Amino acid sequence: MKRPVLFLIMVMTVLVTHAQMVNPIKFSSQVKMDGTANAEIIFTGRIDAGWHVYSTGLGNDGPISATFHVNSMSGVKPVGKLTPRGHEISKMDPMFGMKLRYFEGSVTFVQKVKFTAPNYKIDAYLEYGACNDQSCLPPTQVEVKKAGKSPSFDAGAAASATATVDNATTGTGDNSSVLQPGMKADSAVLPAVDTAKAKTNAIAAVQATPQEEQSWWQPVIQQLQAFGGNDSVASHSLFYIFWMGFIGGLLALLMPCIWPIIPMTISFFLKRGGGKKGGIRDAALYGLSIIVIFLALGIIITAIFGPSTLNSLATNAVFNIILFLLLLLFAFSFFGWFEIKLPDSWGNAVDSKAAKTTGILSIFLMAFALVLISFSCTAPIIGLLLVQTVTSGNWAGPAIGMFGFSLALAIPFTLFAMFPSWLKSAPKSGSWMNNIKVVLGFIELAFSLKFLSVADLAYGWHILSRETFLALWIVIFGAMGMYLVGKLRFRSDVLYDADGKQMPPKPMPVASVMLGLCSIAFAIYMIPGLWGAPCKAVSAFAPPMNTQDFNLNDKEVKAQYTDYEEGMAAAKAQGKPALVDFTGFGCVNCRKMEAAVWTDPTVAEKLNKDYVLISLFVDDKTPLPKPMEVTDHGHTRTLRTIGDKWSYLQAHKFGSNTQPFYVPVNNLGQPLNRSFSYKEDVSAYLDFLNKGLTNYGKETK
């Protein structure tokens, strides 16, 4: 029994150690011949759900384009450009201000070649970029090496082509690295530290010892895991979704259409009889039936969309427009302008059928009647819940969310069915229920703008800039505050006496007034955001800072160093910790973090004064003075560009290969805190920075 347990512990240790390394794209390569002088080099990729691979020819100002590179070729030459095949998606990206083209699910890249000699040799590779909604991979290479006899060759082409085409590069972009003729890769496990460059910097006056230089590249994966690994939360956790659904179920219990069902439920179970033991059993089956019905709805939603679709819906523009209109509909329904209601005949028919049927089926039909009759009140809450869980990208989200919702809804009905006398102690329905409906309407109206913002950013309409979004939220929460304090009334709030005369409005309860003041205060809090204030509490909902047309906050954080060795030497000279930022020119989420988090004055001050900020671009195409061969997890890899070097550093030292990726280190390159990834949360980022500074202070003492 000990051996399986020990084996399981070892497996879990390996999984935890490499938890930050992801491999969402699987490529294969082949040379396809047709017996003529022409052939095709084919790269076929399978893309995990939620990820996408960028197409060819996006230009230098966009993400990493797919490009074809040649190390050496003899007896064969490339013909034309690299061609993508598959379902190419074209989408406007506001961060780059251009349309991006990419592939999801699968992609094929084809490079045509022509044989020019009886024998051939191909040594080439495809380089591509890939991202999901939260992170990006560094430029990744897929090699193809093959040699042999040509099936046929073009003598005319051979006369005009050189027998050997060394170090040539073809592609649709201008961002490809070109190896200089005669260069050979250096064999090295770790890239050498360029201390000469560091010495030329006036700040880096303190020379590092050889031991310190070596420690800068030493792997620290286990030390990083000791801090808790990577602070990367892929959207919402299942636990969060469950509690969101549970709270939604509690809110549903306060809706007006729920309360008439309680006496109906009690009457149904009193008629069944069967003694105390049988009553408890039937009540438990009743609650379980409610859970099963709502859980089935969540599972059906998951089955219809599927895991891959659920991952992509979060950024699908058309789907987000539909969600915006749906939440708008729910909000207007809660305001009392109209009522979302199923035909009464449906509920009556099911209720009648439940009364005539016996056994477990009757209990299930009674639960189904509750679901139908309460639809007019629960539909907007269920809709908001499903909108949030479906766009969370978590395939189990709808089922887990509906389970939490149904559990909260089923518990009180189960208890009322078990103990009918509790009905006497239940609070009476009244105008307070309508107040809750209207407040939920304001909340759904505010949430709808979040989904409109996603579509606006995707299509580049520029109709919902950050200040426009904040202005609308200020009005919505200000109006909600006025409603809660009793200064704004809806038609559904008007009460009439027995003679049909309008009754004067009653004063709002103290709890309602206090909540109203909080809502008004929240609206006032957002007002400075119209001029560029960070408004940290709404940063997760509002459009990014770069959409702000009028911004008085011109503080911009720029890294002091874009070279790792220079930055580490400077950090030692200044006696400060270093914040290593693995980023990319084509990393959308890196720009979002810089716009939404780094622009916060407190964050900016810490990055500029307390840390030495080192930004390492993993897609930097500047060639290294000499290509280097490194061994990583048993595989040999050639580093040709500066970006390759930083990509290797991130994977080798920190065990991660996605960007953005931030980690604070001391002057020996040891981590001071867990790493941080894409999360537009200023307070969380400040805690991350402060923890690093605190640990650095303890070490220096």
Side-chain angles (χ1 to χ4, degrees), residues 258 261-266 268-269 272 278-294 354 359-371 373-374 406 409-418:
I258 292 289
I261 307 174
I262 297 176
M264 184 179 73
T265 299
I266 293 173
F268 173 82
F269 282 97
R272 291 183 62 85
I280 293 176
R281 181 198 62 211
D282 291 346
L285 288 173
Y286 178 59
L288 184 61
S289 298
I290 296 174
I291 294 175
V292 168
I293 292 170
F294 281 108
I360 297 177
L361 180 59
S362 65
I363 297 175
F364 182 82
L365 289 174
M366 186 62 196
F368 195 59
L370 180 148
V371 174
I373 295 171
S374 64
S406 60
L409 193 64
I411 288 175
F413 277 95
T414 303
L415 294 175
F416 277 123
M418 288 181 180

Side-chain angles (χ1 to χ4, degrees), residues 450-524:
K450 173 180 178 288
F451 299 101
L452 178 61
S453 173
V454 173
D456 177 61
L457 292 171
Y459 283 118
W461 294 332
H462 306 295
I463 61 173
L464 200 62
S465 60
R466 184 173 181 271
E467 62 262 49
T468 304
F469 182 96
L470 291 177
L472 291 173
W473 265 38
I474 290 169
V475 172
I476 290 171
F477 284 97
M480 187 173 80
M482 297 297 289
Y483 177 82
L484 286 170
V485 300
K487 296 300 182 181
L488 177 66
R489 312 306 296 163
F490 282 80
R491 186 176 180 180
S492 57
D493 296 307
V494 179
L495 300 176
Y496 298 90
D497 58 18
D499 298 328
K501 294 182 180 180
Q502 182 175 334
M503 298 173 61
K506 295 181 180 180
M508 300 297 286
V510 175
S512 176
V513 173
M514 296 305 295
L515 288 175
L517 293 177
C518 291
S519 182
I520 294 172
F522 181 60
I524 295 173

Side-chain angles (χ1 to χ4, degrees), residues 362-445:
S362 65
I363 297 175
F364 182 82
L365 289 174
M366 186 62 196
F368 195 59
L370 180 148
V371 174
L372 288 179
I373 295 171
S374 64
F375 181 79
S376 60
C377 288
T378 58
I381 299 176
I382 293 173
L384 180 61
L385 172 64
L386 289 177
V387 161
Q388 289 293 318
T389 55
V390 167
T391 57
S392 72
N394 198 322
W395 69 270
I400 297 297
M402 293 305 294
F403 174 68
F405 177 88
S406 60
L407 183 63
L409 193 64
I411 288 175
F413 277 95
T414 303
L415 294 175
F416 277 123
M418 288 181 180
F419 311 104
S421 59
W422 285 13
L423 180 62
K424 296 179 181 179
S425 60
K428 304 299 180 182
S429 61
S431 59
W432 62 273
M433 287 185 172
N434 184 71
N435 295 339
I436 292 176
K437 280 184 63 176
V438 173
V439 170
L440 286 176
F442 280 114
I443 293 174
E444 296 217 356
L445 185 62

